[in-house]
Amino acid sequence: MTTNRIPQAHNHHHLALGTDLDTGEAVTLDLNQHPHLLAAGWTGGGVSSLLRSVAAHALADGATVTVIDPKRTSFEVLDGLPGLSLSSSPHTMVEEISLFHAEMMRRHTSGETGPQRLLVVEELPQILARINGGDQARLDAAVRLLRAIVLIGGSVGCRLAVDADLSALRWFGLGDQDVLNKMATVVMGRPSRQLLSRLGVDPALTSAGRGTGVLRLPGDKGRRVAIDYLAHAELRAVALGVIHS
């Protein structure tokens, strides 16, 4: 179940995620309070659509957005928009993640906080498979910087949205409690019970329906959400400010 609803102007700095399946209420994510997002789910379950929406919203708010997309296809709809850079090769992925981390550390050291920046990492499990294939030491080192981005970045205007599975969480420590306490999580479909347990999501809340997920904020039990879907033309309109988000 997906809904097609454009975020409204009064949701500035709030990402319109969708509709609560139990109460019918609109569900938004306060990006100032919860700057980082972990999305998990099966292929075709809506994770890429969610991350594209996050990126479009950030562009509309004036943020600089860096997208790591090894598939080269998930974010083509936003390619070329002002403020967005798209990387798919190992070399450019290393460069962009390292530059993002360096800017975050510069701000942390100097006490600066803005302007807002967002790093979107699509298909982290695929990146991990590439690293495990060998001869990717620089990419391995770069991706391990994501943990520090979660721990430090929110306080200096550097946000992360990432797609990960259980193996990726275990690999570089993103799943430890210190990190998860700083992230909102959205679980799409029915991932493994081990992943749900690591994220603190009740398996009874999950659904196999496309476009449905469970939003869990640090400290709560989670809520079932029908995730809003924006078509490609609407994503570009949101990102360009033609439709205010």
Side-chain angles (χ1 to χ4, degrees):
M1 175 180 178
T2 58
T3 57
N4 194 321
R5 176 166 58 83
I6 301 299
Q8 299 300 310
H10 65 267
N11 283 331
H12 192 60
H13 298 308
H14 286 69
L15 175 66
L17 284 178
T19 305
D20 189 304
L21 286 170
D22 297 307
T23 67
E25 297 176 345
V27 178
T28 62
L29 181 63
D30 185 340
L31 298 176
N32 289 330
Q33 186 174 0
H34 303 289
H36 306 301
L37 177 68
L38 169 65
W42 59 28
T43 299
V47 170
S48 293
S49 295
L50 174 60
L51 293 180
R52 284 194 295 267
S53 180
V54 172
H57 183 277
L59 289 171
D61 276 352
T64 299
V65 178
T66 300
V67 176
I68 306 299
D69 179 16
K71 294 190 298 187
R72 299 181 173 88
T73 58
S74 294
F75 284 81
E76 280 186 342
V77 61
L78 299 178
D79 194 14
L81 291 180
L84 181 135
S85 61
L86 183 60
S87 300
S88 56
S89 70
H91 173 74
T92 58
M93 287 191 284
V94 169
E95 185 176 67
E96 292 290 357
I97 295 173
S98 299
L99 287 172
F100 191 96
H101 178 266
E103 171 62 12
M104 178 196 73
M105 294 306 299
R106 186 194 68 78
R107 294 184 184 190
H108 180 65
T109 301
S110 67
E112 297 179 22
T113 58
Q116 293 291 311
R117 299 197 65 183
L118 171 66
L119 175 65
V120 179
V121 180
E122 167 82 331
E123 290 290 347
L124 182 60
Q126 183 174 323
I127 297 174
L128 173 58
R130 185 175 292 183
I131 291 170
N132 288 338
D135 196 28
Q136 295 289 345
R138 293 184 66 242
L139 183 58
D140 185 348
V143 175
R144 291 179 186 274
L145 298 175
L146 300 183
R147 184 177 185 276
I149 291 171
V150 175
L151 292 173
I152 299 173
S155 63
V156 293
C158 296
R159 297 162 37 210
L160 173 70
V162 60
D163 166 18
D165 63 6
L166 183 61
S167 63
L169 291 178
R170 288 172 170 167
W171 170 62
F172 66 94
L174 189 61
D176 70 57
Q177 205 58 46
D178 286 343
V179 173
L180 290 178
N181 283 339
K182 292 182 176 291
M183 302 192 80
T185 59
V186 175
V187 177
M188 311 287 290
R190 292 185 182 275
S192 70
R193 283 185 172 267
Q194 293 94 330
L195 176 60
L196 295 172
S197 176
R198 177 66 64 90
L199 298 178
V201 175
D202 182 353
L205 293 175
T206 61
S207 166
R210 176 178 170 79
T212 63
V214 178
L215 168 65
R216 183 178 183 273
L217 304 178
D220 74 14
K221 296 180 179 180
R223 57 194 302 190
R224 302 189 310 140
V225 181
I227 303 296
D228 283 346
Y229 174 77
L230 297 180
H232 286 183
E234 295 166 336
L235 279 167
R236 290 185 69 89
V238 168
L240 291 167
V242 176
I243 301 173
H244 297 289
S245 56

